[in-house]
Amino acid sequence: MMGEEKWKESDALVESMHSMKRLHWNSLLRDVSNHEFGFLMMILRFQKRNPEVKGIYVSDLAKKLCITKSAVSRMLGNLEKWGLVERAVDPNNRRNTFVYLTEKGSTLCREQNERMRAFLHQVETELGEQRYQEILTGMQELSAAMARVMTAWEQNSQSKEETKCDQFCDT
């Protein structure tokens, strides 16, 4: 019976993760999707951490987001069309392209962050500040523990030749 209880706990965790994923996150945003907002925020964070650099390389953005350079280029094409980002060739290495937020893109990020903060404040109000902080801390601890265990599993896993999943992966 103890084993069955543990499965119920893991099922509850997986269901909670899925239910958060199924939330209509796009309804919180204006003018961009949650994926586009993720791109913009990644660029913004890079620019804030590296003010001496004009922008982030498209290849680095792809690595950080764990997607292909062509997928990044497609998304950036839309964001560029809307005037939220600009791309430029690196004058020191013409094979590299970097991307940076325009003033319009920075403004949109600021506005979206304000909306997200207002939303989370309402969630915190509903739960109570103490309970909200307990849940947030617990989620951070769970995420960090899962990352550590996953890293250990990856280091101890079978070679790429032995795993079926990696037959279809190009990494």
Side-chain angles (χ1 to χ4, degrees), residues 52-170:
E52 72 285 355
V53 181
K54 186 162 185 167
I56 185 171
Y57 287 122
V58 172
S59 57
D60 290 343
L61 190 56
K63 285 178 193 170
K64 288 183 182 297
L65 295 168
C66 299
I67 59 176
T68 64
K69 285 188 265 186
S70 62
V72 169
S73 289
R74 280 192 302 275
M75 180 68 76
L76 291 176
N78 288 334
L79 297 173
E80 196 171 29
K81 181 173 57 176
W82 299 326
L84 302 173
V85 300
E86 288 184 2
R87 286 187 260 197
V89 174
D90 183 351
N92 298 321
N93 184 346
R94 301 202 45 82
R95 291 178 290 155
N96 290 327
T97 302
F98 57 86
V99 63
Y100 55 94
L101 294 179
T102 63
E103 186 59 40
K104 183 178 178 182
S106 294
T107 299
L108 183 104
C109 284
R110 216 173 17 260
E111 291 169 354
Q112 302 297 11
N113 271 331
E114 289 171 14
R115 287 181 59 75
M116 189 62 74
R117 281 191 188 106
F119 169 76
L120 292 175
H121 179 70
Q122 279 188 274
V123 172
E124 180 183 19
T125 300
E126 183 170 313
L127 291 170
E129 182 179 354
Q130 182 177 347
R131 183 69 181 131
Y132 177 81
Q133 289 302 321
E134 290 169 354
I135 292 169
L136 184 59
T137 299
M139 290 174 68
Q140 291 167 336
E141 290 171 359
L142 180 62
S143 177
M146 291 173 113
R148 287 190 302 272
V149 171
M150 191 166 290
T151 298
W153 276 47
E154 288 170 350
Q155 291 171 349
N156 294 324
S157 71
Q158 302 166 340
S159 69
K160 280 193 171 195
E161 295 80 33
E162 295 173 330
T163 60
K164 290 186 177 189
C165 174
D166 289 326
Q167 292 175 11
F168 305 105
C169 299
D170 56 340

Side-chain angles (χ1 to χ4, degrees), residues 26-55:
N26 285 337
S27 66
L28 294 177
L29 303 172
R30 297 286 185 253
D31 303 322
V32 291
S33 72
N34 61 329
H35 296 294
E36 292 160 341
F37 182 60
F39 269 67
L40 294 172
M41 289 306 297
M42 181 77 68
I43 296 166
L44 178 65
R45 280 189 211 104
F46 180 85
Q47 285 181 206
K48 284 184 175 183
R49 290 182 186 140
N50 305 283
E52 72 285 355
V53 181
K54 186 162 185 167

